[in-house]
């Protein structure tokens, strides 16, 4: 923690050459992309995308889960989506799942999460989309097939949000699915044509 505190305390000095850029942030933000990914510490969007402050709007949670749209249920995910699409008017939304994901691994292996009731209720949103795969627990610790299916399902769930559906129909918003390998740093992209993930 001391190292992190020291880094935070010296941040102001370390960005001295970029002072003008940071001063402009007071006027607002205009990112072009909403990046939805897992809270996992091994997934670092700015590192993967090679972006700086102000370029990417992020939504992170355990398992990069998008809860189904429900007008009677309020959530940080729904609020972030609405703000990104209606206010910031992002042009692209990426759902990025990753290999060796603990949340998806728990669902895939049927792990007993009774001791973690909040986690259990949260990952239950992922179970329906993975139902067809749950009879065959993953042999591969990377769980590529499970995570990729999960990402595709989250994209379908996104289309159920009125603001997302409207923006996609109007042609001002595109949706993308990615699968990131934490051990190889490879990014596979979902091809809308064949429904498969490919390395480009």
């Amino acid at each position: 923690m001391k190292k992190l505190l020291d880094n935070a305390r010296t941040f102001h000095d370390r960005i001295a050459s970029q002072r003008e850029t940071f001063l402009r942030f007071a006027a607002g933000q205009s990112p072009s992309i909403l990046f939805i990914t897992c809270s996992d510490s091994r997934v670092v969007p700015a590192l993967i995308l090679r972006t700086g402050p102000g370029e990417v709007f992020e939504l992170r949670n355990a398992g990069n889960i998008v809860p189904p749209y429900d007008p009677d249920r309020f959530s940080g995910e729904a609020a972030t989506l609405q703000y990104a699409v209606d206010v910031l008017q992002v042009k692209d939304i990426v759902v990025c799942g990753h290999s060796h994901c603990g949340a998806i691994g728990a669902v895939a292996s049927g792990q007993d999460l009774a001791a973690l009731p909040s986690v259990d209720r949260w990952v239950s949103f992922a179970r329906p989309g993975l139902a067809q795969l749950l009879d065959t627990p993953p042999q591969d610790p990377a769980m590529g097939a499970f995570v990729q299916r999960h990402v595709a399902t989250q994209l379908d769930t996104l289309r159920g949000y009125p603001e997302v559906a409207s923006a996609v129909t109007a042609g001002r918003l595109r949706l993308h699915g990615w699968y990131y390998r934490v051990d190889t740093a490879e990014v596979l992209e979902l091809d809308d044509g064949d429904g498969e993930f490919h390395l480009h």
Side-chain angles (χ1 to χ4, degrees):
M1 190 64 194
K2 182 181 184 307
K3 178 183 176 183
L4 298 180
L5 282 171
D6 289 342
N7 288 342
R9 289 165 179 160
T10 60
F11 183 60
H12 176 266
D13 297 325
R14 286 185 285 115
I15 58 95
S17 63
Q18 305 172 59
R19 199 70 37 87
E20 291 300 318
T21 298
F22 278 76
L23 284 172
R24 285 197 294 272
F25 291 158
Q29 61 173 323
S30 55
S32 63
I33 178 176
L34 169 62
F35 198 77
I36 301 174
T37 195
C38 187
S39 301
D40 194 297
S41 62
R42 297 167 293 181
V43 181
V44 185
L47 187 62
I48 297 168
L49 300 170
R50 205 173 181 181
T51 53
E55 294 183 63
V56 178
F57 200 56
E58 295 181 19
L59 171 54
R60 304 189 68 164
N61 61 42
N64 49 269
I65 291 171
V66 179
Y69 174 72
D70 182 345
D72 297 322
R73 183 181 62 233
F74 300 101
S75 70
E77 288 73 25
T80 300
L81 274 169
Q82 189 170 74
Y83 190 79
V85 175
D86 288 346
V87 179
L88 297 176
Q89 297 195 346
V90 297
K91 295 176 174 57
D92 295 276
I93 296 178
V94 173
V95 176
C96 180
H98 69 94
S99 67
H100 307 83
C101 180
I104 301 309
V107 175
S109 64
Q111 184 177 338
D112 181 2
L113 297 174
L116 302 168
S118 293
V119 174
D120 189 39
R121 290 186 64 184
W122 177 248
V123 300
S124 69
F125 286 123
R127 289 191 178 102
L130 296 173
Q132 292 181 340
L133 298 177
L134 295 182
D135 290 336
T136 56
Q139 302 301 317
D140 176 6
M143 297 175 299
F146 281 82
V147 175
Q148 291 172 21
R149 171 68 64 85
H150 173 65
V151 167
T153 301
Q154 302 321 292
L155 290 173
D156 288 339
T157 303
L158 275 175
R159 294 182 182 98
Y161 281 75
E163 56 271 20
V164 173
S166 177
V168 168
T169 300
R172 66 176 183 86
L173 179 65
R174 297 178 296 264
L175 305 182
H176 313 269
W178 290 4
Y179 169 66
Y180 172 63
R181 289 269 322 205
V182 300
D183 53 344
T184 65
E186 294 172 309
V187 176
L188 281 69
E189 302 168 42
L190 176 61
D191 187 322
D192 290 333
D194 63 13
E196 300 293 329
F197 284 76
H198 300 285
L199 181 65
H200 293 284

